Amino acid sequence: MSTLAPASTPVPAPASPAQPPPPSPRTWLRRIDGGGQIIEACPAYCTDSHRNDQDSALDDLQHGADFEGTDLAVFDAEDGTCAWPLLSGRISVDPYSEDARRRVPHINLMVFQDEVMEALTPDEFAAVIAQVRAHCDRLEAEVLGELVRAPAEYR
């Protein structure tokens, strides 16, 4: 006599929603100042409208996507306290630039308003992130502790 359990009908796994196909690159016919035309294609990350890139100099084209920083309330002698962005920027590529660093995707990091680190490679951007993270860790571990202790000593 067999002690095997009766075979059960396999339960099908729930169907996963179909993944949409990746978007095809946006393309457009671009007329080049001075003559000629070219079909341009945006990289997948590009969010630029290219509204003003229909007729332009070849090296004026840039593809990119902006990213927001964090706003800090900064005192301004003329306006009082106002929000200043910190560490915002843009992933960019300037495909026709004379500067080889700009012809590959890079970061333009606005450290704070109007102060920019340009054309950072992935390794350079990672180093900036590590440096800022280490500084924030030190602020939290050392400076915050001193600030918490300071009022008791001040009295």
Side-chain angles (χ1 to χ4, degrees):
M1 175 176 247
S2 173
T3 59
L4 294 175
S8 61
T9 306
V11 177
S16 62
Q19 294 294 324
S24 50
R26 291 182 297 146
T27 61
W28 76 96
L29 179 66
R30 181 170 170 232
R31 287 175 293 284
I32 307 304
D33 289 349
Q37 57 189 22
I38 189 170
I39 300 292
E40 295 289 358
C42 291
Y45 62 85
C46 182
T47 59
D48 294 340
S49 73
H50 297 293
R51 184 175 25 246
N52 297 322
D53 293 327
Q54 303 302 315
D55 296 293
S56 60
L58 186 63
D59 63 353
D60 283 348
L61 182 68
Q62 183 180 82
H63 295 288
D66 297 326
F67 58 89
E68 293 184 17
T70 185
D71 286 345
L72 297 178
V74 175
F75 176 74
D76 180 80
E78 293 180 17
D79 298 322
T81 301
C82 56
W84 275 53
L86 176 70
L87 300 177
S88 60
R90 177 173 173 79
I91 299 173
S92 296
V93 66
D94 306 78
Y96 306 105
S97 175
E98 291 181 13
D99 182 346
R101 291 174 45 102
R102 293 183 171 282
R103 287 193 304 261
V104 295
H106 58 274
I107 293 287
N108 290 326
L109 183 65
M110 190 178 340
V111 180
F112 54 89
Q113 192 164 330
D114 299 328
E115 301 299 330
V116 179
M117 299 174 76
E118 291 187 326
L120 298 175
T121 66
D123 288 342
E124 291 168 335
F125 188 47
V128 170
I129 292 168
Q131 187 175 1
V132 169
R133 180 176 290 122
H135 181 66
C136 288
D137 289 347
R138 187 183 73 77
L139 290 174
E140 185 176 45
E142 298 172 21
V143 179
L144 180 58
E146 286 296 317
L147 179 62
V148 168
R149 286 186 293 278
E153 296 174 12
Y154 182 72
R155 293 182 186 166

